[in-house]
Amino acid sequence: MSSDQQEPVKTICPYCGVGCGIKVQPGEESGDVRFMPWGEAPVNEGRICIKGGAATEVVDHEDRLTEPRIKEDGEFREASWEEAYEYVADELERIREEYGPDAMGFFGSSKVMNEENYLLQKLARRYGTNNVDNCTRMCHASTVWALRTSLGAGAMTNSMRDLREEADLFWIQGANPGEQHPIANSQYFRQAVLEGATVIQVDPHANKTTRSFEIDDTDPHQHLQLNPGTDIPLLNIVLKTILEHHEENPEDGWIDEAFVAERTEGFEDLKATLEDFDKEAAAEECGVPLEAIELAAKQYATADNAAIFTGMGMSQHACGVDNVQNEINLALITGNLGRPGTGVNPLRGQNNVQGTCDVGAMPNVLPGYQLVDDDEARESVEDVWGFEIPDEPGLTNVEISYEAGDSIKGLYVMGENPVMSEPDANAVAERLADLEFTVVQDIFHTETADYADVILPATTWAERGGTVTNTDRRVQRMRGVGKVHENTRHDREILTEIGTRLFDKGFDFADPEEIFEELRQVCPSYHGMTYDLLGEEGLHWPCYEPGDEGDPFLYEDEFETESGLGHIEGVEHTPPAETPDDEYPLILTTARLEEHYNTGTMSTRSPTLNKQTPENFVDVHPADAERYGIEDGEYVRLRSRRGEITLEAHVTEDTTEGVVWTTPHFAAASANKLTNHVLDERAKIPEYKAAAAEIDVD
Ligand code: SF4
């Protein structure tokens, strides 16, 4: 491969869900892949953040896996692909024969393209199990649950473009676009703010979003710095303030009576829930002055177009579904849905987090969110696939990890790193060690790969083609420059080979376009898309027939619920499962950094990114630092009931007294050794955002 032979190709940044277009081109040295800006890229028009600009640094990193490896007597040795494929196929067959298909679990990944996640979930179902899930479970499973149940689709209701053009107010709760979606923030949301939009930020931590909008608690912008886990009481204050005002001043229109009457159900339930709600007591629990929350309620209710952004600060709680439902309640009673500049908009953290769910890499749904236990939907997919699909939902990834060694005997991991990404990570590692057979398919030897029996070396994002679906439902094509290491395989090639060895037919695809052609047959919202029609702009789903232009915003006429109505439902406060006590008097909460990416597999190997922040740290409020005798920059031991890590203390007012804040990116001080594995009952998302903790100073 050399620059003489190949023109740059247009592809999509592999990091966050904004979907920025970039170009890549082979460099002069063998294996070298260069980044180039793509000036006309539809989402970002050539702009790029630090992660996007550094994305090619890991493509030919010296740590790349370049040959299959098989574990023998506790050590990995090189193997041929033939030996590795045969071993995997034999072990998958053995586990199915000895224990049945539900003894296997399959993990897809939002770092991997639509075609590959589609193939993985099809392989799991052909194998005979719905035990297939992906890392979305860890970030927005609760958001997807609430949005699907109450509005119809588990996705952003609006597009970045209409939000920039039409929104007058951004309500940003538990999301941090200034850090996590920098181009969306600077190119879309900040532009709207410069033209007069107001920002209400609800977050326990001051961050780059606070600073990018220069939120200084003077009118009009506000930062409501609440205690972790008090989002429901805060939103209930907002809702009750709006209800009270409307009762006395209906002419102000804080509640959109016509919208509520014609397009929603459940309003009376909300009123009943809030009837005896005590706003003063709730404000105290939130740690935010009541007047500030009441002002925010007024600002939201009186904006012409108010848009909610929601993130993992809302979803990663045992009450995650209720948290998001309360945001939906706010949007529905004020009529802020179904038109540009409004809505409830989850900002997605990985470049294909939306698509991985769209294509059915989940235990309860098939492609297009068709329920596995809906006979009609399941049979329509069976007609295309030509085999029977199990009709009961399978286990989620956290459940699979916790069943490892018991009912789960084998695990197939494509691009995921559960030993770092799942809560109570020490316990996860112990359980994975009890599995009989584990496959890890990845580009690097991850922390999870230590527990594998066979490691399959995959190609990176820059080497292969396919599609990804960004945070505002835009499906875009990725294009690759070809393999940097000849003995690696594209994820789809590996799955095609294993599927074909196990089963007579159904996995023999020559290229990603062939896979996409089958995917669109079974995924109604992608049915109108082809590679040609996606072109360079991409298309927003739903796109039901070829020629449809896709919908930048949803629910203009009706919601996609059974009744066609938006569902309002009052919710009551559920405190975090762990609250501070004498033994663990602090609240630990976690969040990501701009320069790093999830479990750090790629970003900690990127010289540019790692230079910014080379190790983990914990933010400690000055009052707590004084109480514990901690100096800024000193190393401390942070511990919870599940483990401990040693890391540098940053003494800062970004966090509040009693709350310590850290990040999940670094293996040497992995925050998920401390986090709590308690799950939201419905969405099965873990409570990463609140755990009881203590600090020790040596
Ligand atoms: Fe990549 Fe997201 Fe940065 Fe865009 S904003 S360059 S998609 S990490």
Side-chain angles (χ1 to χ4, degrees), residues 110 134-144 310-317 324 346-350 353-354 357 397 421 592 598 685-686 688-689:
S110 304
N134 75 88
C135 40
T136 309
R137 182 71 46 200
M138 317 298 186
C139 58
H140 270 297
S142 45
T143 316
V144 169
T310 188
M312 296 196 290
M314 290 295 273
S315 60
Q316 289 180 331
H317 285 279
V324 179
L347 293 169
R348 315 305 294 264
Q350 297 187 242
V353 84
Q354 183 66 56
C357 300
N397 45 11
S421 63
R592 296 164 299 152
N598 296 350
I685 190 171
Y688 291 96
K689 293 299 188 209

PDB file of all heavy atoms in Angstrom, residues 110 134-144 310-317 324 346-350 353-354 357 397 421 592 598 685-686 688-689:
ATOM      1  N   SER A 110     -20.386  -1.249  20.061  1.00  0.00           N
ATOM      2  CA  SER A 110     -20.713  -0.003  19.355  1.00  0.00           C
ATOM      3  C   SER A 110     -19.504   0.580  18.644  1.00  0.00           C
ATOM      4  O   SER A 110     -19.613   1.593  17.968  1.00  0.00           O
ATOM      5  CB  SER A 110     -21.259   1.017  20.346  1.00  0.00           C
ATOM      6  OG  SER A 110     -22.344   0.479  21.022  1.00  0.00           O
ATOM      7  N   ASN A 134     -24.860  -5.701  23.643  1.00  0.00           N
ATOM      8  CA  ASN A 134     -23.726  -4.842  23.294  1.00  0.00           C
ATOM      9  C   ASN A 134     -23.572  -3.777  24.360  1.00  0.00           C
ATOM     10  O   ASN A 134     -24.392  -3.665  25.273  1.00  0.00           O
ATOM     11  CB  ASN A 134     -23.929  -4.250  21.902  1.00  0.00           C
ATOM     12  CG  ASN A 134     -24.956  -3.144  21.896  1.00  0.00           C
ATOM     13  OD1 ASN A 134     -24.628  -1.981  22.110  1.00  0.00           O
ATOM     14  ND2 ASN A 134     -26.224  -3.476  21.704  1.00  0.00           N
ATOM     15  N   CYS A 135     -22.527  -2.956  24.229  1.00  0.00           N
ATOM     16  CA  CYS A 135     -22.187  -2.018  25.295  1.00  0.00           C
ATOM     17  C   CYS A 135     -23.198  -0.891  25.469  1.00  0.00           C
ATOM     18  O   CYS A 135     -23.108  -0.135  26.434  1.00  0.00           O
ATOM     19  CB  CYS A 135     -20.783  -1.475  25.083  1.00  0.00           C
ATOM     20  SG  CYS A 135     -20.406  -1.111  23.368  1.00  0.00           S
ATOM     21  N   THR A 136     -24.172  -0.782  24.592  1.00  0.00           N
ATOM     22  CA  THR A 136     -25.236   0.200  24.820  1.00  0.00           C
ATOM     23  C   THR A 136     -25.937  -0.079  26.129  1.00  0.00           C
ATOM     24  O   THR A 136     -26.484   0.827  26.756  1.00  0.00           O
ATOM     25  CB  THR A 136     -26.275   0.119  23.690  1.00  0.00           C
ATOM     26  OG1 THR A 136     -25.590   0.182  22.476  1.00  0.00           O
ATOM     27  CG2 THR A 136     -27.273   1.236  23.778  1.00  0.00           C
ATOM     28  N   ARG A 137     -25.933  -1.349  26.523  1.00  0.00           N
ATOM     29  CA  ARG A 137     -26.532  -1.715  27.816  1.00  0.00           C
ATOM     30  C   ARG A 137     -25.950  -0.864  28.919  1.00  0.00           C
ATOM     31  O   ARG A 137     -26.624  -0.541  29.892  1.00  0.00           O
ATOM     32  CB  ARG A 137     -26.233  -3.202  28.069  1.00  0.00           C
ATOM     33  CG  ARG A 137     -26.816  -3.771  29.324  1.00  0.00           C
ATOM     34  CD  ARG A 137     -28.304  -3.920  29.269  1.00  0.00           C
ATOM     35  NE  ARG A 137     -28.732  -4.523  28.026  1.00  0.00           N
ATOM     36  CZ  ARG A 137     -29.966  -4.422  27.539  1.00  0.00           C
ATOM     37  NH1 ARG A 137     -30.888  -3.743  28.184  1.00  0.00           N
ATOM     38  NH2 ARG A 137     -30.288  -4.992  26.394  1.00  0.00           N
ATOM     39  N   MET A 138     -24.662  -0.516  28.778  1.00  0.00           N
ATOM     40  CA  MET A 138     -23.962   0.226  29.833  1.00  0.00           C
ATOM     41  C   MET A 138     -24.224   1.729  29.753  1.00  0.00           C
ATOM     42  O   MET A 138     -23.919   2.445  30.685  1.00  0.00           O
ATOM     43  CB  MET A 138     -22.436   0.050  29.721  1.00  0.00           C
ATOM     44  CG  MET A 138     -21.982  -1.324  29.440  1.00  0.00           C
ATOM     45  SD  MET A 138     -22.482  -2.387  30.761  1.00  0.00           S
ATOM     46  CE  MET A 138     -21.665  -3.860  30.265  1.00  0.00           C
ATOM     47  N   CYS A 139     -24.676   2.202  28.588  1.00  0.00           N
ATOM     48  CA  CYS A 139     -24.771   3.668  28.486  1.00  0.00           C
ATOM     49  C   CYS A 139     -26.203   4.175  28.370  1.00  0.00           C
ATOM     50  O   CYS A 139     -26.590   5.082  29.095  1.00  0.00           O
ATOM     51  CB  CYS A 139     -23.896   4.205  27.362  1.00  0.00           C
ATOM     52  SG  CYS A 139     -24.253   3.564  25.735  1.00  0.00           S
ATOM     53  N   HIS A 140     -26.998   3.614  27.478  1.00  0.00           N
ATOM     54  CA  HIS A 140     -28.306   4.242  27.263  1.00  0.00           C
ATOM     55  C   HIS A 140     -29.451   3.237  27.219  1.00  0.00           C
ATOM     56  O   HIS A 140     -30.520   3.552  26.671  1.00  0.00           O
ATOM     57  CB  HIS A 140     -28.294   5.053  25.967  1.00  0.00           C
ATOM     58  CG  HIS A 140     -27.873   6.480  26.160  1.00  0.00           C
ATOM     59  ND1 HIS A 140     -28.591   7.372  26.925  1.00  0.00           N
ATOM     60  CD2 HIS A 140     -26.804   7.178  25.709  1.00  0.00           C
ATOM     61  CE1 HIS A 140     -27.991   8.550  26.919  1.00  0.00           C
ATOM     62  NE2 HIS A 140     -26.897   8.450  26.197  1.00  0.00           N
ATOM     63  N   ALA A 141     -29.275   2.040  27.812  1.00  0.00           N
ATOM     64  CA  ALA A 141     -30.364   1.058  27.766  1.00  0.00           C
ATOM     65  C   ALA A 141     -31.642   1.626  28.387  1.00  0.00           C
ATOM     66  O   ALA A 141     -32.751   1.417  27.884  1.00  0.00           O
ATOM     67  CB  ALA A 141     -29.948  -0.215  28.485  1.00  0.00           C
ATOM     68  N   SER A 142     -31.478   2.380  29.465  1.00  0.00           N
ATOM     69  CA  SER A 142     -32.653   2.942  30.145  1.00  0.00           C
ATOM     70  C   SER A 142     -33.299   4.045  29.299  1.00  0.00           C
ATOM     71  O   SER A 142     -34.525   4.182  29.249  1.00  0.00           O
ATOM     72  CB  SER A 142     -32.252   3.477  31.510  1.00  0.00           C
ATOM     73  OG  SER A 142     -31.057   4.219  31.393  1.00  0.00           O
ATOM     74  N   THR A 143     -32.461   4.826  28.634  1.00  0.00           N
ATOM     75  CA  THR A 143     -32.987   5.886  27.763  1.00  0.00           C
ATOM     76  C   THR A 143     -33.806   5.261  26.635  1.00  0.00           C
ATOM     77  O   THR A 143     -34.916   5.715  26.326  1.00  0.00           O
ATOM     78  CB  THR A 143     -31.818   6.680  27.123  1.00  0.00           C
ATOM     79  OG1 THR A 143     -30.839   6.944  28.106  1.00  0.00           O
ATOM     80  CG2 THR A 143     -32.294   7.950  26.484  1.00  0.00           C
ATOM     81  N   VAL A 144     -33.224   4.223  26.035  1.00  0.00           N
ATOM     82  CA  VAL A 144     -33.907   3.563  24.923  1.00  0.00           C
ATOM     83  C   VAL A 144     -35.238   2.984  25.412  1.00  0.00           C
ATOM     84  O   VAL A 144     -36.270   3.119  24.752  1.00  0.00           O
ATOM     85  CB  VAL A 144     -33.004   2.460  24.315  1.00  0.00           C
ATOM     86  CG1 VAL A 144     -33.765   1.580  23.343  1.00  0.00           C
ATOM     87  CG2 VAL A 144     -31.799   3.094  23.617  1.00  0.00           C
ATOM     88  N   THR A 310     -30.071  14.529  26.962  1.00  0.00           N
ATOM     89  CA  THR A 310     -29.919  13.635  28.106  1.00  0.00           C
ATOM     90  C   THR A 310     -28.718  12.738  27.886  1.00  0.00           C
ATOM     91  O   THR A 310     -28.391  12.384  26.750  1.00  0.00           O
ATOM     92  CB  THR A 310     -31.221  12.837  28.325  1.00  0.00           C
ATOM     93  OG1 THR A 310     -31.133  12.106  29.536  1.00  0.00           O
ATOM     94  CG2 THR A 310     -31.527  11.878  27.184  1.00  0.00           C
ATOM     95  N   GLY A 311     -28.051  12.380  28.975  1.00  0.00           N
ATOM     96  CA  GLY A 311     -26.836  11.574  28.839  1.00  0.00           C
ATOM     97  C   GLY A 311     -26.746  10.539  29.941  1.00  0.00           C
ATOM     98  O   GLY A 311     -27.716  10.229  30.632  1.00  0.00           O
ATOM     99  N   MET A 312     -25.525  10.037  30.110  1.00  0.00           N
ATOM    100  CA  MET A 312     -25.354   8.905  31.016  1.00  0.00           C
ATOM    101  C   MET A 312     -25.490   9.301  32.484  1.00  0.00           C
ATOM    102  O   MET A 312     -25.683   8.446  33.337  1.00  0.00           O
ATOM    103  CB  MET A 312     -24.023   8.240  30.724  1.00  0.00           C
ATOM    104  CG  MET A 312     -24.037   7.656  29.309  1.00  0.00           C
ATOM    105  SD  MET A 312     -22.761   6.474  28.978  1.00  0.00           S
ATOM    106  CE  MET A 312     -21.338   7.485  28.971  1.00  0.00           C
ATOM    107  N   GLY A 313     -25.426  10.604  32.763  1.00  0.00           N
ATOM    108  CA  GLY A 313     -25.717  11.055  34.125  1.00  0.00           C
ATOM    109  C   GLY A 313     -27.161  10.762  34.495  1.00  0.00           C
ATOM    110  O   GLY A 313     -27.510  10.679  35.681  1.00  0.00           O
ATOM    111  N   MET A 314     -28.002  10.603  33.510  1.00  0.00           N
ATOM    112  CA  MET A 314     -29.409  10.238  33.749  1.00  0.00           C
ATOM    113  C   MET A 314     -29.623   8.739  33.608  1.00  0.00           C
ATOM    114  O   MET A 314     -30.351   8.119  34.381  1.00  0.00           O
ATOM    115  CB  MET A 314     -30.311  10.953  32.737  1.00  0.00           C
ATOM    116  CG  MET A 314     -30.405  12.434  32.955  1.00  0.00           C
ATOM    117  SD  MET A 314     -31.203  12.825  34.512  1.00  0.00           S
ATOM    118  CE  MET A 314     -32.936  12.817  34.005  1.00  0.00           C
ATOM    119  N   SER A 315     -28.992   8.160  32.605  1.00  0.00           N
ATOM    120  CA  SER A 315     -29.330   6.767  32.274  1.00  0.00           C
ATOM    121  C   SER A 315     -28.656   5.759  33.190  1.00  0.00           C
ATOM    122  O   SER A 315     -29.220   4.696  33.465  1.00  0.00           O
ATOM    123  CB  SER A 315     -28.927   6.477  30.822  1.00  0.00           C
ATOM    124  OG  SER A 315     -27.538   6.669  30.654  1.00  0.00           O
ATOM    125  N   GLN A 316     -27.461   6.076  33.694  1.00  0.00           N
ATOM    126  CA  GLN A 316     -26.692   5.070  34.454  1.00  0.00           C
ATOM    127  C   GLN A 316     -27.059   5.091  35.935  1.00  0.00           C
ATOM    128  O   GLN A 316     -26.222   5.327  36.819  1.00  0.00           O
ATOM    129  CB  GLN A 316     -25.195   5.314  34.270  1.00  0.00           C
ATOM    130  CG  GLN A 316     -24.710   4.960  32.872  1.00  0.00           C
ATOM    131  CD  GLN A 316     -23.225   5.191  32.688  1.00  0.00           C
ATOM    132  OE1 GLN A 316     -22.648   6.058  33.326  1.00  0.00           O
ATOM    133  NE2 GLN A 316     -22.615   4.432  31.794  1.00  0.00           N
ATOM    134  N   HIS A 317     -28.316   4.872  36.182  1.00  0.00           N
ATOM    135  CA  HIS A 317     -28.824   4.769  37.553  1.00  0.00           C
ATOM    136  C   HIS A 317     -29.787   3.593  37.627  1.00  0.00           C
ATOM    137  O   HIS A 317     -30.394   3.212  36.607  1.00  0.00           O
ATOM    138  CB  HIS A 317     -29.592   6.037  37.944  1.00  0.00           C
ATOM    139  CG  HIS A 317     -28.713   7.212  38.237  1.00  0.00           C
ATOM    140  ND1 HIS A 317     -28.081   7.391  39.444  1.00  0.00           N
ATOM    141  CD2 HIS A 317     -28.377   8.272  37.474  1.00  0.00           C
ATOM    142  CE1 HIS A 317     -27.373   8.518  39.404  1.00  0.00           C
ATOM    143  NE2 HIS A 317     -27.542   9.071  38.220  1.00  0.00           N
ATOM    144  N   VAL A 324     -35.370   9.232  32.756  1.00  0.00           N
ATOM    145  CA  VAL A 324     -35.637   9.705  31.384  1.00  0.00           C
ATOM    146  C   VAL A 324     -37.142   9.923  31.194  1.00  0.00           C
ATOM    147  O   VAL A 324     -37.563  10.857  30.508  1.00  0.00           O
ATOM    148  CB  VAL A 324     -35.053   8.714  30.356  1.00  0.00           C
ATOM    149  CG1 VAL A 324     -35.351   9.176  28.933  1.00  0.00           C
ATOM    150  CG2 VAL A 324     -33.539   8.588  30.555  1.00  0.00           C
ATOM    151  N   PRO A 346     -31.044  11.913  23.434  1.00  0.00           N
ATOM    152  CA  PRO A 346     -29.879  11.268  24.029  1.00  0.00           C
ATOM    153  C   PRO A 346     -28.650  11.473  23.151  1.00  0.00           C
ATOM    154  O   PRO A 346     -28.701  11.215  21.947  1.00  0.00           O
ATOM    155  CB  PRO A 346     -30.272   9.786  24.078  1.00  0.00           C
ATOM    156  CG  PRO A 346     -31.328   9.607  23.049  1.00  0.00           C
ATOM    157  CD  PRO A 346     -32.036  10.932  22.925  1.00  0.00           C
ATOM    158  N   LEU A 347     -27.576  11.945  23.735  1.00  0.00           N
ATOM    159  CA  LEU A 347     -26.320  12.101  22.992  1.00  0.00           C
ATOM    160  C   LEU A 347     -25.531  10.816  23.170  1.00  0.00           C
ATOM    161  O   LEU A 347     -25.220  10.425  24.295  1.00  0.00           O
ATOM    162  CB  LEU A 347     -25.556  13.313  23.519  1.00  0.00           C
ATOM    163  CG  LEU A 347     -26.263  14.642  23.236  1.00  0.00           C
ATOM    164  CD1 LEU A 347     -25.614  15.778  24.015  1.00  0.00           C
ATOM    165  CD2 LEU A 347     -26.273  14.960  21.747  1.00  0.00           C
ATOM    166  N   ARG A 348     -25.219  10.146  22.058  1.00  0.00           N
ATOM    167  CA  ARG A 348     -24.631   8.812  22.120  1.00  0.00           C
ATOM    168  C   ARG A 348     -23.113   8.891  22.075  1.00  0.00           C
ATOM    169  O   ARG A 348     -22.543   9.674  21.319  1.00  0.00           O
ATOM    170  CB  ARG A 348     -25.153   7.943  20.974  1.00  0.00           C
ATOM    171  CG  ARG A 348     -26.650   8.018  20.750  1.00  0.00           C
ATOM    172  CD  ARG A 348     -27.485   7.702  21.970  1.00  0.00           C
ATOM    173  NE  ARG A 348     -27.381   6.349  22.413  1.00  0.00           N
ATOM    174  CZ  ARG A 348     -28.230   5.359  22.087  1.00  0.00           C
ATOM    175  NH1 ARG A 348     -29.263   5.601  21.317  1.00  0.00           N
ATOM    176  NH2 ARG A 348     -28.066   4.149  22.551  1.00  0.00           N
ATOM    177  N   GLY A 349     -22.473   8.014  22.863  1.00  0.00           N
ATOM    178  CA  GLY A 349     -21.046   8.165  23.119  1.00  0.00           C
ATOM    179  C   GLY A 349     -20.120   7.499  22.129  1.00  0.00           C
ATOM    180  O   GLY A 349     -18.954   7.849  22.046  1.00  0.00           O
ATOM    181  N   GLN A 350     -20.584   6.498  21.368  1.00  0.00           N
ATOM    182  CA  GLN A 350     -19.680   5.789  20.471  1.00  0.00           C
ATOM    183  C   GLN A 350     -20.176   5.934  19.041  1.00  0.00           C
ATOM    184  O   GLN A 350     -21.357   6.176  18.803  1.00  0.00           O
ATOM    185  CB  GLN A 350     -19.599   4.317  20.865  1.00  0.00           C
ATOM    186  CG  GLN A 350     -19.009   4.134  22.248  1.00  0.00           C
ATOM    187  CD  GLN A 350     -18.757   2.681  22.587  1.00  0.00           C
ATOM    188  OE1 GLN A 350     -19.335   2.169  23.526  1.00  0.00           O
ATOM    189  NE2 GLN A 350     -17.902   2.016  21.847  1.00  0.00           N
ATOM    190  N   VAL A 353     -23.154   3.520  18.378  1.00  0.00           N
ATOM    191  CA  VAL A 353     -23.975   3.053  19.497  1.00  0.00           C
ATOM    192  C   VAL A 353     -25.448   2.962  19.075  1.00  0.00           C
ATOM    193  O   VAL A 353     -26.168   2.042  19.475  1.00  0.00           O
ATOM    194  CB  VAL A 353     -23.760   3.964  20.721  1.00  0.00           C
ATOM    195  CG1 VAL A 353     -24.604   5.168  20.692  1.00  0.00           C
ATOM    196  CG2 VAL A 353     -23.892   3.237  22.008  1.00  0.00           C
ATOM    197  N   GLN A 354     -25.879   3.876  18.225  1.00  0.00           N
ATOM    198  CA  GLN A 354     -27.265   3.823  17.764  1.00  0.00           C
ATOM    199  C   GLN A 354     -27.477   2.627  16.836  1.00  0.00           C
ATOM    200  O   GLN A 354     -28.421   1.845  16.991  1.00  0.00           O
ATOM    201  CB  GLN A 354     -27.624   5.129  17.041  1.00  0.00           C
ATOM    202  CG  GLN A 354     -29.073   5.219  16.589  1.00  0.00           C
ATOM    203  CD  GLN A 354     -30.027   5.264  17.768  1.00  0.00           C
ATOM    204  OE1 GLN A 354     -29.926   6.112  18.634  1.00  0.00           O
ATOM    205  NE2 GLN A 354     -30.951   4.312  17.812  1.00  0.00           N
ATOM    206  N   CYS A 357     -27.760  -1.068  18.171  1.00  0.00           N
ATOM    207  CA  CYS A 357     -29.113  -1.425  18.647  1.00  0.00           C
ATOM    208  C   CYS A 357     -30.076  -1.546  17.470  1.00  0.00           C
ATOM    209  O   CYS A 357     -30.900  -2.473  17.423  1.00  0.00           O
ATOM    210  CB  CYS A 357     -29.627  -0.373  19.614  1.00  0.00           C
ATOM    211  SG  CYS A 357     -28.592  -0.205  21.050  1.00  0.00           S
ATOM    212  N   ASN A 397     -25.852  -8.207  28.775  1.00  0.00           N
ATOM    213  CA  ASN A 397     -24.423  -8.511  28.962  1.00  0.00           C
ATOM    214  C   ASN A 397     -24.021  -8.572  30.428  1.00  0.00           C
ATOM    215  O   ASN A 397     -23.220  -9.429  30.813  1.00  0.00           O
ATOM    216  CB  ASN A 397     -23.506  -7.594  28.138  1.00  0.00           C
ATOM    217  CG  ASN A 397     -23.884  -6.158  28.208  1.00  0.00           C
ATOM    218  OD1 ASN A 397     -24.712  -5.768  29.022  1.00  0.00           O
ATOM    219  ND2 ASN A 397     -23.286  -5.344  27.366  1.00  0.00           N
ATOM    220  N   SER A 421     -15.206  -2.473  31.416  1.00  0.00           N
ATOM    221  CA  SER A 421     -16.393  -1.637  31.202  1.00  0.00           C
ATOM    222  C   SER A 421     -17.539  -1.955  32.153  1.00  0.00           C
ATOM    223  O   SER A 421     -18.411  -1.122  32.369  1.00  0.00           O
ATOM    224  CB  SER A 421     -16.897  -1.778  29.764  1.00  0.00           C
ATOM    225  OG  SER A 421     -17.302  -3.111  29.510  1.00  0.00           O
ATOM    226  N   ARG A 592     -16.676  10.624  31.687  1.00  0.00           N
ATOM    227  CA  ARG A 592     -15.557  10.483  30.741  1.00  0.00           C
ATOM    228  C   ARG A 592     -14.884  11.821  30.455  1.00  0.00           C
ATOM    229  O   ARG A 592     -15.438  12.872  30.723  1.00  0.00           O
ATOM    230  CB  ARG A 592     -16.077   9.868  29.431  1.00  0.00           C
ATOM    231  CG  ARG A 592     -16.604   8.455  29.622  1.00  0.00           C
ATOM    232  CD  ARG A 592     -17.447   8.014  28.460  1.00  0.00           C
ATOM    233  NE  ARG A 592     -18.601   8.886  28.301  1.00  0.00           N
ATOM    234  CZ  ARG A 592     -19.213   9.120  27.145  1.00  0.00           C
ATOM    235  NH1 ARG A 592     -18.788   8.540  26.049  1.00  0.00           N
ATOM    236  NH2 ARG A 592     -20.256   9.925  27.084  1.00  0.00           N
ATOM    237  N   ASN A 598     -13.850   5.624  26.569  1.00  0.00           N
ATOM    238  CA  ASN A 598     -14.350   4.428  27.252  1.00  0.00           C
ATOM    239  C   ASN A 598     -13.257   3.659  27.991  1.00  0.00           C
ATOM    240  O   ASN A 598     -12.620   4.211  28.855  1.00  0.00           O
ATOM    241  CB  ASN A 598     -15.127   3.581  26.252  1.00  0.00           C
ATOM    242  CG  ASN A 598     -16.350   4.361  25.778  1.00  0.00           C
ATOM    243  OD1 ASN A 598     -16.665   5.394  26.332  1.00  0.00           O
ATOM    244  ND2 ASN A 598     -17.019   3.887  24.778  1.00  0.00           N
ATOM    245  N   ILE A 685     -29.584  -1.645  33.177  1.00  0.00           N
ATOM    246  CA  ILE A 685     -28.364  -0.830  33.112  1.00  0.00           C
ATOM    247  C   ILE A 685     -27.816  -0.685  34.531  1.00  0.00           C
ATOM    248  O   ILE A 685     -28.586  -0.537  35.483  1.00  0.00           O
ATOM    249  CB  ILE A 685     -28.667   0.549  32.470  1.00  0.00           C
ATOM    250  CG1 ILE A 685     -27.370   1.305  32.161  1.00  0.00           C
ATOM    251  CG2 ILE A 685     -29.583   1.373  33.347  1.00  0.00           C
ATOM    252  CD1 ILE A 685     -27.606   2.575  31.332  1.00  0.00           C
ATOM    253  N   PRO A 686     -26.486  -0.753  34.702  1.00  0.00           N
ATOM    254  CA  PRO A 686     -25.935  -0.636  36.055  1.00  0.00           C
ATOM    255  C   PRO A 686     -25.900   0.813  36.556  1.00  0.00           C
ATOM    256  O   PRO A 686     -25.868   1.758  35.771  1.00  0.00           O
ATOM    257  CB  PRO A 686     -24.505  -1.162  35.902  1.00  0.00           C
ATOM    258  CG  PRO A 686     -24.423  -1.794  34.551  1.00  0.00           C
ATOM    259  CD  PRO A 686     -25.448  -1.115  33.716  1.00  0.00           C
ATOM    260  N   TYR A 688     -23.742   3.157  37.540  1.00  0.00           N
ATOM    261  CA  TYR A 688     -22.364   3.641  37.558  1.00  0.00           C
ATOM    262  C   TYR A 688     -22.229   4.989  38.282  1.00  0.00           C
ATOM    263  O   TYR A 688     -21.136   5.368  38.667  1.00  0.00           O
ATOM    264  CB  TYR A 688     -21.848   3.867  36.130  1.00  0.00           C
ATOM    265  CG  TYR A 688     -21.625   2.644  35.300  1.00  0.00           C
ATOM    266  CD1 TYR A 688     -22.598   2.193  34.426  1.00  0.00           C
ATOM    267  CD2 TYR A 688     -20.421   1.951  35.351  1.00  0.00           C
ATOM    268  CE1 TYR A 688     -22.386   1.084  33.626  1.00  0.00           C
ATOM    269  CE2 TYR A 688     -20.200   0.840  34.562  1.00  0.00           C
ATOM    270  CZ  TYR A 688     -21.182   0.412  33.696  1.00  0.00           C
ATOM    271  OH  TYR A 688     -20.967  -0.682  32.912  1.00  0.00           O
ATOM    272  N   LYS A 689     -23.317   5.723  38.366  1.00  0.00           N
ATOM    273  CA  LYS A 689     -23.183   7.133  38.742  1.00  0.00           C
ATOM    274  C   LYS A 689     -23.271   7.423  40.227  1.00  0.00           C
ATOM    275  O   LYS A 689     -23.155   8.579  40.620  1.00  0.00           O
ATOM    276  CB  LYS A 689     -24.264   7.960  38.016  1.00  0.00           C
ATOM    277  CG  LYS A 689     -24.075   8.021  36.514  1.00  0.00           C
ATOM    278  CD  LYS A 689     -22.757   8.655  36.121  1.00  0.00           C
ATOM    279  CE  LYS A 689     -22.676   8.880  34.623  1.00  0.00           C
ATOM    280  NZ  LYS A 689     -21.325   8.830  34.106  1.00  0.00           N
TER     281      LYS A 689
END
